[in-house]
Amino acid sequence: MRGPGGRGARGGRGPALTALAALLLAGCATDHADPAEVPAHGPTAEGRLPAHGLTPSPPPSPPTATSAPPGPRPSGTEPAARRPGAGAHGPGPGGGAHGPSPATGAPGPGAPDLKPRADAPGPGTDAPAASPHPHPPPYRRWGLSEPLDPAPSTPDRPPRPRAAGPGLPPVVDRVPTRDKVVFLTYDDGVEKDPRFVDMVRELRLPVSMFLTDSVVGPGYGHFARLRAVGATVQNHTLDHTALRGLPYAGQRAEICGQQHKLKQRFGIRPTLFRPPYGVYDTTTLRAAADCGISAVVLWRASMRITDLRHAVGDHLRPGDIVVAPSRGPAQLNGTTLTRMTTRLLRRIQEQGLTVGRLEDYL
């Protein structure tokens, strides 16, 4: 007689027998399988055996304290296999440990600075060559092709010129000397070109300035600067009046009056006198002597805009006295005293002469 649980017992043994048969069949199969394909870890986490011939992936290992966190690596720290140009054969073209970064093109750590310097010449250009004359000598700045020869340190000074009469000063238009010098004199004081001061200083040009007070006016400072660089100052009357024929008192006032003015301005009493227009008489000489003049100075050649006018002959001779015109640029077609002097100096050099100081020879 079956009890109440008979059917249930027989019903419970059915699934168990089925599972046992499956296990026996699996065991027989493993006896003939490749050992490499046999699972090493038993049932899966779900309690099921893995499929035949498949090995489950191992679970991910937890991060250790020394593992780098996930994320982008710093530049230059990629493994060698990932660095551009790196590998078994060394750095590739333009790469390597110091090569440019593939993202930015910037050089890697320790790379040499390959940027061109701001002062470096560009491609295909040469560095600028130094000027052969960064500071040209003074004679070149003033338009001369060679330096002006200095006058002899010991002048060949002639005996005192013969006086024009008893108690009268000599009248000279040249100095009889064997030195190859001529003398430059400038009248009135019309032009006050600052460049002329520079020329006198840089060329060490000995010049004599015969000044007229009414012409110079308030411009005595210009001639003080000329004196400071080596020029001398002499007498050319107060008002540029033609003296010949005037009474003694009038001539004396013109000459002595300018002596007094120059003494006030410069602290000196000139010893040379030039009568306006080169005209004079015995009264002029007597008045000049009474005012302390030792010589009356005329000229042998006068400067023109582009040439010279000679009183005797057609060229300069040693000892000649040259006078510059008593006019400014408005009367000289825009030229200047400085330009005229440059032309004269060229002419002097062409004739084998140089410039001497008149006062050293009289």
Side-chain angles (χ1 to χ4, degrees), residues 88-118:
H89 300 289
H98 302 294
S101 166
T104 64
D113 185 6
L114 301 179
K115 294 186 295 183
R117 289 171 21 211

Side-chain angles (χ1 to χ4, degrees), residues 11 25 34 52 57 63 87 95 97 103 118 130 146 162 169 206 247 253 255 261 268 307 349:
L25 291 173
D34 186 351
H52 177 65
S57 300
E146 57 185 16
R162 188 176 62 181
I255 300 171
K261 288 277 188 178
I268 54 100
D307 208 346
Q349 288 182 314

Side-chain angles (χ1 to χ4, degrees), residues 3-359:
R7 180 181 298 273
R10 189 170 49 249
R13 287 194 298 270
L17 292 173
T18 303
L20 179 60
L23 289 172
L24 292 173
L25 291 173
C28 294
T30 56
D31 291 339
H32 303 283
D34 186 351
E37 297 179 358
V38 177
H41 301 286
T44 63
E46 290 82 4
R48 295 191 301 271
L49 289 173
H52 177 65
L54 297 178
T55 304
S57 300
S61 59
T64 64
T66 58
S67 301
R73 294 178 180 269
S75 175
T77 62
E78 293 85 3
R82 293 177 55 191
R83 291 183 193 168
H89 300 289
H98 302 294
S101 166
T104 64
D113 185 6
L114 301 179
K115 294 186 295 183
R117 289 171 21 211
D119 58 347
T125 62
D126 295 328
S131 171
H133 298 291
H135 300 290
Y139 69 89
R140 288 191 181 276
R141 286 199 296 273
W142 297 108
L144 303 180
S145 60
E146 57 185 16
L148 191 67
D149 291 335
S153 57
T154 304
D156 177 37
R157 188 171 183 171
R160 180 178 173 81
R162 188 176 62 181
L168 301 180
V171 179
V172 297
D173 59 6
R174 67 178 302 272
V175 176
T177 179
R178 291 171 295 184
D179 291 343
K180 293 184 176 182
V181 296
V182 295
F183 308 103
L184 302 189
T185 64
Y186 297 81
D187 281 1
D188 301 346
V190 174
E191 187 174 354
K192 304 170 184 69
D193 182 3
R195 282 177 53 81
F196 186 68
V197 180
D198 296 335
M199 172 184 259
V200 170
R201 180 185 70 251
E202 293 185 13
L203 296 180
R204 300 182 180 181
L205 196 61
V207 296
S208 302
M209 315 301 294
F210 287 82
L211 301 181
T212 296
D213 182 70
S214 62
V215 176
V216 175
Y220 275 103
H222 172 77
F223 298 98
R225 290 187 286 275
L226 275 171
R227 285 192 72 239
V229 297
T232 59
V233 170
Q234 302 296 349
N235 189 328
H236 198 41
T237 73
L238 279 175
D239 298 311
H240 209 269
T241 302
L243 298 178
R244 187 168 58 190
L246 293 181
Y248 170 81
Q251 295 200 41
R252 188 178 188 279
E254 282 287 333
I255 300 171
C256 289
Q258 182 64 346
Q259 291 285 88
H260 179 66
K261 288 277 188 178
L262 296 175
K263 173 68 174 177
Q264 283 184 321
R265 295 286 183 175
F266 304 118
I268 54 100
R269 293 181 67 85
T271 58
L272 304 181
F273 168 69
R274 175 171 285 158
Y277 314 107
V279 297
Y280 65 97
D281 56 17
T282 302
T283 303
T284 306
L285 300 179
R286 185 159 57 91
D290 291 345
C291 294
I293 297 299
S294 61
V296 174
V297 179
L298 303 181
W299 59 89
R300 277 289 179 96
S302 58
M303 274 193 277
R304 294 294 181 261
I305 296 176
T306 60
D307 208 346
L308 281 174
R309 177 179 293 177
H310 299 274
V312 178
D314 59 359
H315 63 278
L316 292 171
R317 295 187 299 167
D320 281 356
I321 298 172
V322 182
V323 63
S326 56
R327 291 171 288 174
Q331 295 82 35
L332 296 173
N333 298 333
T335 193
T336 64
L337 198 63
T338 304
R339 292 176 186 169
M340 292 179 63
T341 302
T342 295
R343 295 187 188 109
L344 175 60
L345 292 176
R346 291 172 184 160
R347 177 70 63 88
I348 290 171
Q349 288 182 314
E350 288 169 1
Q351 299 184 24
L353 302 170
T354 191
V355 181
R357 185 181 306 280
L358 181 61
E359 290 79 0

